[in-house]
Amino acid sequence: MGRRRLFLFFLTVFLALAGLSVWTAAAEGQAHYMPDYEKADLMPFLESRGRELAEEDYRLLFFQTGMAKAGIDQLYEAGRQDRLLDLQERFFAEVQVECLHTNMLLRSERLLAGAESGGSKAESSPSGVINGVISQGACTDNREFLPTAQDGDILVTFSGHVFGWRSGHAAVVVNALEGQTLEAITYGRSSAVCSVEHWSEYPCFALLRLKGITDRQQAEIAEYAMEELVDVPYSLFAFTDSGAGGPKALETSEDAVRQRKTAGSPEETPSEEAGPAATQCAHLVWSVYWHFGYDLDSDGGAVVTPADIFHSDLLEIVQIYGIDPENITNF
């Protein structure tokens, strides 16, 4: 009887490990989406600068470049629609992906250096951070792969997973001109200003923007993030909801929460509380927008994740890379 129980125990452990291995392998096979359709000729979209785009034009350009309507309009307004050709090349380029152990459970994927994607590895330190600020050696020109990034924009990637669950990472752009983001990166490191360049190393990412945001709001969002959310200790136990004693505890009524979600400007319903005592990547982004009356936690749970922010109805997609444009909601 004892031998049988021991056998069943080891069999159970073996099957569990085998199942986790299969789940992990399946997740790693989905690190990057490469189009399975042919490239289209984009020259007709570039030759006529006064061209008005129809809905089907926006859809074609999105599937060819990863640039959504908000980003396409921005390029046209600046007379930079020729950038669509470079984005198309990067969107269709074959890539090689390596998967590294960030810690005992978390694995993170990166594009191999020299891959056709144009990604490059930061040589100074992970994420181009030295002593909490952007490294002097990091490239700060974000026009190559993020030509429409603006202050206050949000970056989300799903290039990180625990077994088969994709945890991902998120950041807020605090200085688009200088290519700077604010991020809570990992255990043992406080939130810091980073180079946006390391986002070119991810096999997939999305650039998101608050719908209807104004220039003034963008400036205030970036300013608040820099004033209140730099050098905040990292913690996975950074909760958002009232039940966990997070910031939402300050506003308990449904009407108050609804008002914050639909606030039209940061002046209408700003939060007066100071920045959080601890944070993690998605919680940092959530905290910035919560201060101005926007709840980006799409499922309203106690813990906000990059996927929760990615699916927020308050945000619009500006650009994607390595994500299937036909199945954008799969994450």
Side-chain angles (χ1 to χ4, degrees), residues 204-225:
C204 73
F205 67 78
L207 180 68
L208 309 169
R209 183 173 298 158
L210 186 68
K211 294 176 181 177
I213 195 171
T214 65
D215 292 342
R216 180 180 177 184
Q217 283 177 294
Q218 290 176 312
E220 291 181 344
I221 286 169
E223 182 180 0
Y224 172 76

Side-chain angles (χ1 to χ4, degrees), residues 4-151:
R4 182 176 181 182
R5 287 181 178 177
L6 189 62
F7 171 77
L8 291 175
F9 170 77
F10 281 111
L11 178 61
T12 300
V13 171
F14 171 78
L15 292 176
L17 292 176
L20 290 174
S21 297
V22 171
W23 192 26
T24 299
E28 292 179 0
Q30 300 170 355
H32 173 84
Y33 170 80
M34 182 176 174
D36 55 3
Y37 44 86
E38 295 183 357
K39 282 185 182 179
D41 181 10
L42 300 187
M43 289 307 297
F45 294 96
L46 311 182
E47 293 169 351
S48 177
R49 293 189 178 272
R51 173 173 183 157
E52 291 188 9
L53 300 179
E55 183 176 347
E56 57 267 26
D57 296 328
Y58 283 113
R59 177 178 171 82
L60 184 147
L61 290 173
F62 182 52
F63 274 67
Q64 289 290 313
T65 68
M67 190 66 71
K69 184 179 185 301
I72 293 170
D73 288 344
Q74 193 176 331
L75 288 177
Y76 269 84
E77 289 170 6
R80 299 176 60 212
Q81 58 267 38
D82 59 314
R83 299 294 303 146
L84 293 170
L85 291 177
D86 297 321
L87 291 172
Q88 182 188 40
E89 287 299 316
R90 189 172 196 272
F91 200 70
F92 278 82
E94 293 187 8
V95 301
Q96 291 179 300
V97 178
E98 63 177 349
C99 190
L100 306 172
H101 280 283
T102 304
N103 55 47
M104 189 167 61
L105 293 178
L106 180 64
R107 295 168 67 89
S108 182
E109 292 123 343
R110 293 291 187 274
L111 296 178
L112 285 172
E116 293 182 44
S117 65
S120 61
K121 291 197 172 296
E123 297 180 356
S124 54
S125 66
S127 303
V129 179
I130 296 180
N131 296 328
V133 297
I134 188 170
S135 85
Q136 298 302 310
C139 171
T140 58
D141 186 352
N142 67 336
R143 291 174 295 180
E144 294 302 316
F145 72 103
L146 287 172
T148 60
Q150 297 180 347
D151 291 355

Side-chain angles (χ1 to χ4, degrees), residues 34 60 66 84 96 124 145-146 160 167 171 198 225 230 242 245 268 271 295 297 306:
M34 182 176 174
L60 184 147
L84 293 170
Q96 291 179 300
S124 54
F145 72 103
L146 287 172
S167 54
H198 80 98
V230 175
S242 56
E268 291 182 18
S271 169
D295 186 354
D297 183 10

